[in-house]
Amino acid sequence: MKIHEYQAKEFFSRYRIPITREKVCYTIDEVAEVAGELGFPVVVKAQVLVGGRGKAGGVKLAKSMEEARAAAGKILGMDIKGCTVEKVLVAEGVKFNSEFYVGLTIDRNSKSVIFMASAEGGVEIEEVAKENPDAIHKFIIDPDLGMSPFMARKIAFRLFEDINLVKQAVDLFQKLYQLFIDTDASLVEINPLVVTDEGKLLALDGKMNFDDNALYRQPAIAALNEPDEDEKKEIEAKEKGLSYIRLDGTIGCMVNGAGLAMATMDMIKYFGGQPANFLDIGGSSNPQKVVEAMKLLMSDKNVHVVMINIFGGITRCDDVARGLITALNQIDVNIPIVVRLSGTNAKEGLEIIKQANLPVVNSMSEAAQEAMRLCKGCSQEKN
Amino acid sequence: MSILINKNTKLLVQGITGRDGSFHTAKMKAYGTNIVAGVSPGKGGQTHEGIPVFNTVEEAVKSTGANTSIIFVPAPFAGDAILEAAEGGIELGVCISEGVPTLDMVKATAYLKKKGVKLIGANCPGLITPDEALVGILPGNIFMKGNVGLMSRSGTLTYEMVNQLTTNGLGQSTCVGIGGDPVAGLYYQELLQMFEDDPETEAIVLIGEIGGDAEERAAQYIKEKISKPVVAFIAGQTAPPGKRMGHAGAIISSGSGTAAEKIAAFEAVGVPVARRPVEIPVLVKQLLAKRN
């Protein structure tokens, strides 16, 4: 789960990590009022949950009230990668002489939290990682020790020579690590962390992502979630025990298991089609799930054909078949359905499917090919 | 031979009286797994399916000599259950639970490393050595004893692959579901080495998916350390970036972790990558024929 910059910086502030004086605003008038209070220059920054706002023109410096109003007028309502900007952060403009990157994330390989630090701050860290990976220093944090003062010092000395800055950094790094742990974060970034003209460290921008698996014990963070339209549909599906992601294709798929669901999408692509979605109905045998899954697929007007691919382990194929028949009785399905059932109780399941006069196939490959054949208006081009 | 589990495995079930624990205990027992104990705090002294139940792992290990534990407890308590298994004297933990917080896994894997205890999972279907032991939720009937070692980040996709192998006459030494979470126990490199050292394993199938760079690291490891033939499959070629594809670890972030990168990494070190599950047995047979 992601939160906005202003929310991340509220967390920083709570942990006494120095941030700019700032306030989130929803209207041009509010921006003008806050800018007046802060004094000029101010920076007006779009608050959206996607990256690349700078390049999209979502960050503007304003040296006067006129400029602040103009910046707010341009940014509020702007579209950034499909997200409409509904709020902006107005922050004091700060003079600084150097900028750095610091961040914490989970490293799969070392199975630890790692601290990343770079003197190449203020630019997208992914770019630095690609072009100059040696410029990012990485430190594995032992979960038993946490961020020890010696470790924080070691990192700080990689970035700063001035002992006054090192001391500030040691304090800041320890607080940042504690924030990461306390909130079950998956990413905390300050980019840039600047040294102001007065010789103080200050977080100009902040980013936090959280571990979805831990939201149950972080209710205050879960409450900050702002799902977009697609995500709302995903959450709705999740409440019914379905893992769903909408895509742009025409072949709707229903699969048990995430890996098999991905492989099914790949198979559709292999035979020249485009999957309309990722849909994992999970490992249980509840026929009602199949009904909900069919409703979900039918709600997508791009779906021209449905491909059901089940490999029964815990899931029993006859339960899936029964669920499908119930679904067809309950909802109006006027597009072709291809069913592939293998594994536990496949024979019984296929019998039920055959009685309903639905086409059955023997393998994943055949299912994808049959789906393509039945799909009117689906591209036959292999790419 | 095989890896990790065999007919000498003495299994403990943590969460034996729960819905999933109870259901799969019966299945594992029916498969022939030697289940010696269960743990369910507050239900010590009872028996479940004829298996003695204890309050703590320590008691269970002392009384029964259990050396392997399978964990079915709900995700919020799974991290603690893994720690208890390690502290209680278990040598191999297998955590099935889905949705364990990442920081709980960071803590657990660090502790297990210090203790020298192995872990499979979490968020995995477990593992099986056909005809000897089933420690997990895999459907035993699709497996066949043989010489192919298999490891996979996914559950049902593993069944699909195993079914391809079995119906084409290729049995398995051990099949391991390593799980779909970003931070998990034993991973490709450790398992590749175990299969390399196992005299019964003649070929290895590695089933990966999008997210992280473990496949790229595995490819490098194969190049340097593995002499047995390896065939790979990568799921998620059509997955959009920035979206978590069911598994917590299956996400393309900042343009890295794509299927294309992983396929290229394997092919660069001479590991063939099947584009469809049906190609897996064909490739395995080709490599085995070339080797003999």
Side-chain angles (χ1 to χ4, degrees):
Chain A
M1 191 198 116
K2 294 175 179 177
I3 58 172
H4 292 289
E5 173 198 358
Y6 77 92
Q7 294 166 324
K9 285 161 89 182
E10 279 169 18
F11 277 110
F12 291 178
S13 191
R14 249 177 264 167
Y15 277 72
R16 304 196 174 283
I17 292 163
I19 61 166
T20 42
R21 290 185 298 130
E22 60 190 33
K23 201 174 173 197
V24 66
C25 300
Y26 298 81
T27 64
I28 297 173
D29 287 343
E30 269 184 80
V31 170
E33 194 190 321
V34 171
E37 283 166 18
L38 291 174
F40 293 94
V42 294
V43 185
V44 183
K45 300 190 268 188
Q47 298 294 293
V48 278
L49 296 173
V50 293
R53 64 176 181 183
K55 279 177 193 155
V59 178
K60 291 192 191 299
L61 181 74
K63 290 176 187 149
S64 65
M65 189 59 84
E66 235 174 26
E67 285 182 15
R69 282 187 164 273
K74 270 200 176 143
I75 296 172
L76 282 167
M78 171 189 264
D79 180 277
I80 299 177
K81 291 183 186 166
C83 294
T84 307
V85 181
E86 284 163 357
K87 46 195 169 190
V88 292
L89 183 63
V90 182
E92 59 174 331
V94 176
K95 283 188 179 156
F96 55 86
N97 54 41
S98 52
E99 44 189 339
F100 301 86
Y101 167 92
V102 293
L104 285 151
T105 191
I106 299 286
D107 177 45
R108 296 178 184 221
N109 186 44
S110 63
K111 302 173 190 183
S112 311
V113 177
I114 56 164
F115 196 103
M116 300 172 292
S118 176
E120 314 240 329
V123 290
E124 275 190 41
I125 199 66
E126 289 83 9
E127 306 270 309
V128 181
K130 265 185 198 140
E131 280 155 30
N132 190 9
D134 292 342
I136 304 172
H137 308 294
K138 292 180 180 175
F139 304 84
I140 293 171
I141 310 300
D142 183 321
D144 288 345
L145 301 180
M147 180 64 83
S148 312
F150 86 84
M151 179 60 82
R153 261 198 319 273
K154 195 163 112 175
I155 303 168
F157 274 114
R158 286 290 184 94
L159 298 183
F160 309 107
E161 284 174 11
D162 180 348
I163 189 67
N164 283 320
L165 291 174
V166 169
K167 279 181 181 164
Q168 289 179 54
V170 166
D171 182 55
L172 189 151
F173 294 171
Q174 288 183 283
K175 286 168 174 165
L176 202 62
Y177 177 78
Q178 203 52 49
L179 171 62
F180 185 93
I181 299 296
D182 290 350
T183 57
D184 274 300
S186 56
L187 177 78
V188 176
E189 273 184 1
I190 303 178
N191 188 24
L193 173 72
V194 302
V195 179
T196 64
D197 284 0
E198 292 80 37
K200 299 282 181 212
L201 287 182
L202 189 69
L204 278 204
D205 194 354
K207 188 174 174 183
M208 289 186 80
N209 296 348
F210 302 93
D211 175 12
D212 293 340
N213 281 354
L215 289 178
Y216 75 89
R217 64 184 179 197
Q218 301 284 356
I221 290 159
L224 299 177
N225 197 18
E226 284 178 22
D228 62 25
E229 285 313 308
D230 281 350
E231 285 163 349
K232 274 182 197 157
K233 220 170 165 183
E234 290 162 20
I235 291 168
E236 210 178 295
K238 199 158 200 170
E239 283 162 4
K240 291 168 183 149
L242 308 169
S243 180
Y244 174 82
I245 292 164
R246 190 172 178 271
L247 303 167
D248 296 327
T250 47
I251 300 183
C253 28
M254 185 197 305
V255 189
N256 64 322
L260 189 61
M262 278 191 273
T264 303
M265 289 158 50
D266 294 351
M267 187 73 82
I268 290 168
K269 176 88 181 287
Y270 181 90
F271 286 109
Q274 294 292 340
N277 61 278
F278 166 91
L279 174 55
D280 169 13
I281 62 168
S284 105
S285 286
N286 184 352
Q288 191 54 36
K289 265 194 186 179
V290 180
V291 176
E292 294 298 342
M294 273 309 282
K295 282 184 188 164
L296 194 55
L297 293 179
M298 288 306 111
S299 74
D300 180 354
K301 297 296 162 230
N302 288 338
V303 172
H304 286 54
V305 56
V306 171
M307 169 177 168
I308 299 177
N309 185 21
I310 303 295
F311 200 108
I314 311 312
T315 307
R316 290 166 40 161
C317 291
D318 53 335
D319 282 338
V320 174
R322 259 181 237 115
L324 180 60
I325 303 304
T326 311
L328 295 179
N329 288 332
Q330 279 182 14
I331 48 179
D332 190 22
V333 180
N334 49 14
I335 56 172
I337 300 174
V338 182
V339 185
R340 181 270 178 134
L341 302 174
S342 280
T344 309
N345 291 9
K347 214 176 127 201
E348 293 84 344
L350 288 171
E351 205 48 51
I352 296 169
I353 299 295
K354 272 181 200 151
Q355 279 170 15
N357 285 323
L358 289 172
V360 294
V361 290
N362 293 317
S363 71
M364 241 171 110
S365 285
E366 261 183 61
Q369 282 169 292
E370 183 65 8
M372 281 306 293
R373 201 183 61 78
L374 293 169
C375 190
K376 292 187 184 77
C378 298
S379 150
Q380 290 290 338
E381 265 170 51
K382 200 166 169 174
N383 39 2
Chain B
M1 284 283 284
S2 54
I3 69 165
L4 295 165
I5 57 167
N6 55 38
K7 53 183 179 304
N8 299 321
T9 293
K10 293 170 97 175
L11 187 66
L12 161 72
V13 180
Q14 284 174 261
I16 193 166
T17 55
R19 193 195 58 176
D20 293 343
S22 177
F23 178 78
H24 292 289
T25 295
K27 294 243 169 204
M28 291 188 287
K29 202 178 164 195
Y31 191 77
T33 310
N34 182 20
I35 305 179
V36 297
V39 164
S40 187
K43 292 184 179 162
Q46 301 179 7
T47 57
H48 186 86
E49 303 254 349
I51 299 157
V53 179
F54 299 85
N55 285 322
T56 66
V57 170
E58 187 181 30
E59 279 177 76
V61 169
K62 278 192 180 147
S63 300
T64 65
N67 56 14
T68 301
S69 178
I70 185 163
I71 294 160
F72 283 108
V73 308
F77 316 108
D80 188 57
I82 296 169
L83 296 174
E84 186 184 357
E87 200 271 343
I90 289 294
E91 293 159 24
L92 171 68
V94 178
C95 185
I96 307 299
S97 322
E98 180 176 0
V100 184
T102 307
L103 286 178
D104 290 2
M105 290 307 295
V106 167
K107 196 171 146 193
T109 51
Y111 181 69
L112 265 62
K113 199 175 166 189
K114 281 176 198 163
K115 280 277 193 180
V117 174
K118 298 185 189 82
L119 174 72
I120 301 288
N123 189 16
C124 80
L127 68 166
I128 183 168
T129 293
D131 295 351
E132 294 197 31
L134 164 61
V135 179
I137 62 173
L138 309 128
N141 61 316
I142 60 169
F143 294 85
M144 179 172 89
K145 195 160 192 58
N147 308 104
V148 178
L150 183 145
M151 61 187 91
S152 169
R153 279 167 72 178
S154 133
T156 48
L157 181 56
T158 305
Y159 313 160
E160 178 79 44
M161 297 299 185
V162 167
N163 196 45
Q164 295 291 342
L165 291 171
T166 298
T167 53
N168 283 283
L170 292 166
Q172 306 90 39
S173 52
T174 302
C175 296
V176 187
I178 61 176
D181 282 352
V183 174
L186 295 179
Y187 230 73
Y188 298 135
Q189 296 179 23
E190 295 101 330
L191 294 171
L192 281 164
Q193 193 58 54
M194 286 179 197
F195 280 130
E196 174 76 10
D197 298 338
D198 172 34
E200 197 177 290
T201 302
E202 288 175 5
I204 304 166
V205 174
L206 185 158
I207 301 159
E209 64 189 30
I210 55 159
D213 66 351
E215 286 79 7
E216 286 88 332
R217 288 174 190 271
Q220 198 54 38
Y221 192 82
I222 291 166
K223 186 185 168 190
E224 287 162 12
K225 302 273 174 67
I226 304 299
S227 66
K228 292 178 181 175
V230 183
V231 172
F233 180 87
I234 304 293
Q237 294 176 57
T238 45
K243 287 281 182 188
R244 221 169 277 285
M245 307 302 282
H247 293 153
I251 180 165
I252 298 167
S253 44
S254 310
S256 72
T258 64
E261 288 171 318
K262 294 172 190 298
I263 291 169
F266 280 122
E267 288 180 340
V269 297
V271 171
V273 182
R275 292 303 191 272
R276 290 186 290 154
V278 286
E279 295 169 14
I280 290 275
V282 179
L283 290 169
V284 171
K285 282 183 179 173
Q286 275 173 7
L287 290 181
L288 284 174
K290 214 190 277 177
R291 203 180 186 221
N292 296 330

PDB file of all heavy atoms in Angstrom, chain A residues 18 37 76 106 132 144-145 192 201 222 224 241 249 261 295 329 345 347 349 367 369 383:
ATOM      1  N   PRO A  18      13.472  16.080  10.654  1.00  0.00           N
ATOM      2  CA  PRO A  18      13.157  17.444  10.211  1.00  0.00           C
ATOM      3  C   PRO A  18      12.598  17.498   8.780  1.00  0.00           C
ATOM      4  O   PRO A  18      13.170  16.897   7.867  1.00  0.00           O
ATOM      5  CB  PRO A  18      14.490  18.188  10.308  1.00  0.00           C
ATOM      6  CG  PRO A  18      15.536  17.142  10.468  1.00  0.00           C
ATOM      7  CD  PRO A  18      14.893  15.907  10.976  1.00  0.00           C
ATOM      8  N   GLU A  37       1.066  32.484   4.396  1.00  0.00           N
ATOM      9  CA  GLU A  37       1.561  32.205   5.759  1.00  0.00           C
ATOM     10  C   GLU A  37       3.036  31.789   5.736  1.00  0.00           C
ATOM     11  O   GLU A  37       3.808  32.179   6.613  1.00  0.00           O
ATOM     12  CB  GLU A  37       0.750  31.076   6.406  1.00  0.00           C
ATOM     13  CG  GLU A  37      -0.612  31.515   6.900  1.00  0.00           C
ATOM     14  CD  GLU A  37      -1.508  30.324   7.217  1.00  0.00           C
ATOM     15  OE1 GLU A  37      -0.972  29.200   7.380  1.00  0.00           O
ATOM     16  OE2 GLU A  37      -2.740  30.520   7.280  1.00  0.00           O
ATOM     17  N   LEU A  76      -3.761  21.458  -9.869  1.00  0.00           N
ATOM     18  CA  LEU A  76      -5.014  20.849  -9.391  1.00  0.00           C
ATOM     19  C   LEU A  76      -5.871  20.449 -10.597  1.00  0.00           C
ATOM     20  O   LEU A  76      -6.110  21.262 -11.483  1.00  0.00           O
ATOM     21  CB  LEU A  76      -5.782  21.823  -8.487  1.00  0.00           C
ATOM     22  CG  LEU A  76      -5.246  21.952  -7.060  1.00  0.00           C
ATOM     23  CD1 LEU A  76      -5.857  23.160  -6.362  1.00  0.00           C
ATOM     24  CD2 LEU A  76      -5.508  20.688  -6.250  1.00  0.00           C
ATOM     25  N   ILE A 106      13.130  -3.784   1.902  1.00  0.00           N
ATOM     26  CA  ILE A 106      13.375  -5.194   2.199  1.00  0.00           C
ATOM     27  C   ILE A 106      14.227  -5.763   1.071  1.00  0.00           C
ATOM     28  O   ILE A 106      13.892  -5.603  -0.099  1.00  0.00           O
ATOM     29  CB  ILE A 106      12.047  -5.979   2.275  1.00  0.00           C
ATOM     30  CG1 ILE A 106      11.142  -5.443   3.388  1.00  0.00           C
ATOM     31  CG2 ILE A 106      12.312  -7.474   2.440  1.00  0.00           C
ATOM     32  CD1 ILE A 106      11.554  -5.792   4.793  1.00  0.00           C
ATOM     33  N   ASN A 132      24.506   3.938 -12.611  1.00  0.00           N
ATOM     34  CA  ASN A 132      25.702   4.026 -11.773  1.00  0.00           C
ATOM     35  C   ASN A 132      25.456   3.311 -10.443  1.00  0.00           C
ATOM     36  O   ASN A 132      25.424   3.936  -9.382  1.00  0.00           O
ATOM     37  CB  ASN A 132      26.035   5.518 -11.545  1.00  0.00           C
ATOM     38  CG  ASN A 132      27.380   5.703 -10.904  1.00  0.00           C
ATOM     39  OD1 ASN A 132      28.155   4.742 -10.766  1.00  0.00           O
ATOM     40  ND2 ASN A 132      27.661   6.922 -10.469  1.00  0.00           N
ATOM     41  N   ASP A 144      18.247  -8.271  14.911  1.00  0.00           N
ATOM     42  CA  ASP A 144      18.444  -8.303  16.365  1.00  0.00           C
ATOM     43  C   ASP A 144      19.096  -7.024  16.877  1.00  0.00           C
ATOM     44  O   ASP A 144      18.810  -6.575  17.986  1.00  0.00           O
ATOM     45  CB  ASP A 144      19.342  -9.486  16.759  1.00  0.00           C
ATOM     46  CG  ASP A 144      18.613 -10.804  16.599  1.00  0.00           C
ATOM     47  OD1 ASP A 144      17.372 -10.766  16.467  1.00  0.00           O
ATOM     48  OD2 ASP A 144      19.275 -11.855  16.589  1.00  0.00           O
ATOM     49  N   LEU A 145      19.972  -6.447  16.075  1.00  0.00           N
ATOM     50  CA  LEU A 145      20.687  -5.240  16.509  1.00  0.00           C
ATOM     51  C   LEU A 145      19.919  -3.977  16.175  1.00  0.00           C
ATOM     52  O   LEU A 145      20.050  -2.972  16.863  1.00  0.00           O
ATOM     53  CB  LEU A 145      22.064  -5.181  15.840  1.00  0.00           C
ATOM     54  CG  LEU A 145      23.015  -6.356  16.099  1.00  0.00           C
ATOM     55  CD1 LEU A 145      24.341  -6.141  15.365  1.00  0.00           C
ATOM     56  CD2 LEU A 145      23.258  -6.531  17.591  1.00  0.00           C
ATOM     57  N   PRO A 192      14.950  14.394  -2.150  1.00  0.00           N
ATOM     58  CA  PRO A 192      16.271  14.483  -1.537  1.00  0.00           C
ATOM     59  C   PRO A 192      16.227  14.799  -0.035  1.00  0.00           C
ATOM     60  O   PRO A 192      15.293  15.412   0.460  1.00  0.00           O
ATOM     61  CB  PRO A 192      16.882  15.677  -2.262  1.00  0.00           C
ATOM     62  CG  PRO A 192      15.711  16.572  -2.523  1.00  0.00           C
ATOM     63  CD  PRO A 192      14.536  15.669  -2.748  1.00  0.00           C
ATOM     64  N   LEU A 201      20.249  19.234   8.232  1.00  0.00           N
ATOM     65  CA  LEU A 201      19.652  18.208   7.373  1.00  0.00           C
ATOM     66  C   LEU A 201      18.145  18.385   7.369  1.00  0.00           C
ATOM     67  O   LEU A 201      17.537  18.639   8.412  1.00  0.00           O
ATOM     68  CB  LEU A 201      19.988  16.800   7.890  1.00  0.00           C
ATOM     69  CG  LEU A 201      21.418  16.300   7.708  1.00  0.00           C
ATOM     70  CD1 LEU A 201      21.535  14.879   8.230  1.00  0.00           C
ATOM     71  CD2 LEU A 201      21.839  16.363   6.243  1.00  0.00           C
ATOM     72  N   ALA A 222      -3.811   1.450   7.430  1.00  0.00           N
ATOM     73  CA  ALA A 222      -4.826   0.892   6.524  1.00  0.00           C
ATOM     74  C   ALA A 222      -5.898   1.937   6.218  1.00  0.00           C
ATOM     75  O   ALA A 222      -6.418   1.997   5.101  1.00  0.00           O
ATOM     76  CB  ALA A 222      -5.435  -0.359   7.140  1.00  0.00           C
ATOM     77  N   LEU A 224      -5.534   4.980   5.722  1.00  0.00           N
ATOM     78  CA  LEU A 224      -5.067   5.998   4.776  1.00  0.00           C
ATOM     79  C   LEU A 224      -5.185   5.544   3.324  1.00  0.00           C
ATOM     80  O   LEU A 224      -4.904   6.308   2.404  1.00  0.00           O
ATOM     81  CB  LEU A 224      -3.594   6.351   5.061  1.00  0.00           C
ATOM     82  CG  LEU A 224      -3.277   6.926   6.446  1.00  0.00           C
ATOM     83  CD1 LEU A 224      -1.768   7.138   6.592  1.00  0.00           C
ATOM     84  CD2 LEU A 224      -4.009   8.239   6.670  1.00  0.00           C
ATOM     85  N   GLY A 241     -12.834 -13.442  -1.583  1.00  0.00           N
ATOM     86  CA  GLY A 241     -11.847 -14.512  -1.654  1.00  0.00           C
ATOM     87  C   GLY A 241     -11.219 -14.688  -3.022  1.00  0.00           C
ATOM     88  O   GLY A 241     -10.630 -15.724  -3.320  1.00  0.00           O
ATOM     89  N   GLY A 249      -7.184  -7.033 -22.291  1.00  0.00           N
ATOM     90  CA  GLY A 249      -7.497  -7.984 -23.356  1.00  0.00           C
ATOM     91  C   GLY A 249      -8.960  -8.388 -23.453  1.00  0.00           C
ATOM     92  O   GLY A 249      -9.844  -7.750 -22.857  1.00  0.00           O
ATOM     93  N   ALA A 261      -2.450 -19.039 -12.781  1.00  0.00           N
ATOM     94  CA  ALA A 261      -3.202 -17.940 -13.393  1.00  0.00           C
ATOM     95  C   ALA A 261      -2.291 -17.110 -14.297  1.00  0.00           C
ATOM     96  O   ALA A 261      -2.673 -16.735 -15.405  1.00  0.00           O
ATOM     97  CB  ALA A 261      -3.834 -17.060 -12.312  1.00  0.00           C
ATOM     98  N   LYS A 295     -19.495 -13.535 -12.208  1.00  0.00           N
ATOM     99  CA  LYS A 295     -20.110 -12.198 -12.183  1.00  0.00           C
ATOM    100  C   LYS A 295     -19.060 -11.131 -12.474  1.00  0.00           C
ATOM    101  O   LYS A 295     -19.301 -10.183 -13.229  1.00  0.00           O
ATOM    102  CB  LYS A 295     -20.740 -11.929 -10.811  1.00  0.00           C
ATOM    103  CG  LYS A 295     -22.073 -12.610 -10.601  1.00  0.00           C
ATOM    104  CD  LYS A 295     -22.676 -12.208  -9.254  1.00  0.00           C
ATOM    105  CE  LYS A 295     -23.906 -13.037  -8.941  1.00  0.00           C
ATOM    106  NZ  LYS A 295     -24.278 -12.950  -7.521  1.00  0.00           N
ATOM    107  N   ASN A 329     -27.050 -20.381 -14.315  1.00  0.00           N
ATOM    108  CA  ASN A 329     -28.483 -20.282 -14.028  1.00  0.00           C
ATOM    109  C   ASN A 329     -28.855 -18.927 -13.440  1.00  0.00           C
ATOM    110  O   ASN A 329     -29.963 -18.451 -13.597  1.00  0.00           O
ATOM    111  CB  ASN A 329     -28.914 -21.391 -13.064  1.00  0.00           C
ATOM    112  CG  ASN A 329     -28.922 -22.745 -13.752  1.00  0.00           C
ATOM    113  OD1 ASN A 329     -29.118 -22.830 -14.977  1.00  0.00           O
ATOM    114  ND2 ASN A 329     -28.693 -23.791 -12.984  1.00  0.00           N
ATOM    115  N   ASN A 345     -11.017 -35.008  -8.749  1.00  0.00           N
ATOM    116  CA  ASN A 345     -12.412 -35.118  -9.195  1.00  0.00           C
ATOM    117  C   ASN A 345     -12.691 -34.489 -10.567  1.00  0.00           C
ATOM    118  O   ASN A 345     -13.791 -33.988 -10.821  1.00  0.00           O
ATOM    119  CB  ASN A 345     -13.383 -34.526  -8.154  1.00  0.00           C
ATOM    120  CG  ASN A 345     -13.431 -35.386  -6.898  1.00  0.00           C
ATOM    121  OD1 ASN A 345     -12.628 -36.321  -6.742  1.00  0.00           O
ATOM    122  ND2 ASN A 345     -14.351 -35.098  -6.000  1.00  0.00           N
ATOM    123  N   LYS A 347     -12.958 -36.043 -13.429  1.00  0.00           N
ATOM    124  CA  LYS A 347     -13.905 -36.857 -14.189  1.00  0.00           C
ATOM    125  C   LYS A 347     -15.349 -36.464 -13.859  1.00  0.00           C
ATOM    126  O   LYS A 347     -16.163 -36.221 -14.751  1.00  0.00           O
ATOM    127  CB  LYS A 347     -13.674 -38.334 -13.852  1.00  0.00           C
ATOM    128  CG  LYS A 347     -13.918 -39.266 -15.007  1.00  0.00           C
ATOM    129  CD  LYS A 347     -13.565 -40.690 -14.623  1.00  0.00           C
ATOM    130  CE  LYS A 347     -14.764 -41.589 -14.923  1.00  0.00           C
ATOM    131  NZ  LYS A 347     -14.725 -42.832 -14.154  1.00  0.00           N
ATOM    132  N   GLY A 349     -16.326 -33.677 -12.522  1.00  0.00           N
ATOM    133  CA  GLY A 349     -16.525 -32.285 -12.943  1.00  0.00           C
ATOM    134  C   GLY A 349     -16.832 -32.192 -14.429  1.00  0.00           C
ATOM    135  O   GLY A 349     -17.768 -31.490 -14.841  1.00  0.00           O
ATOM    136  N   ALA A 367      -7.096 -25.369 -24.336  1.00  0.00           N
ATOM    137  CA  ALA A 367      -8.063 -24.390 -23.837  1.00  0.00           C
ATOM    138  C   ALA A 367      -7.807 -23.021 -24.446  1.00  0.00           C
ATOM    139  O   ALA A 367      -8.736 -22.345 -24.898  1.00  0.00           O
ATOM    140  CB  ALA A 367      -7.991 -24.326 -22.312  1.00  0.00           C
ATOM    141  N   GLN A 369      -6.198 -22.355 -27.232  1.00  0.00           N
ATOM    142  CA  GLN A 369      -6.461 -22.387 -28.673  1.00  0.00           C
ATOM    143  C   GLN A 369      -7.958 -22.343 -28.959  1.00  0.00           C
ATOM    144  O   GLN A 369      -8.413 -21.648 -29.873  1.00  0.00           O
ATOM    145  CB  GLN A 369      -5.840 -23.641 -29.284  1.00  0.00           C
ATOM    146  CG  GLN A 369      -4.342 -23.495 -29.487  1.00  0.00           C
ATOM    147  CD  GLN A 369      -3.686 -24.813 -29.827  1.00  0.00           C
ATOM    148  OE1 GLN A 369      -3.618 -25.709 -28.991  1.00  0.00           O
ATOM    149  NE2 GLN A 369      -3.198 -24.937 -31.043  1.00  0.00           N
ATOM    150  N   ASN A 383       2.196 -11.957 -31.480  1.00  0.00           N
ATOM    151  CA  ASN A 383       3.247 -10.957 -31.272  1.00  0.00           C
ATOM    152  C   ASN A 383       4.220 -11.408 -30.200  1.00  0.00           C
ATOM    153  O   ASN A 383       4.062 -12.397 -29.558  1.00  0.00           O
ATOM    154  CB  ASN A 383       2.649  -9.593 -30.911  1.00  0.00           C
ATOM    155  CG  ASN A 383       1.454  -9.721 -29.995  1.00  0.00           C
ATOM    156  OD1 ASN A 383       1.094 -10.817 -29.595  1.00  0.00           O
ATOM    157  ND2 ASN A 383       0.825  -8.633 -29.643  1.00  0.00           N
TER     158      ASN A 383
END
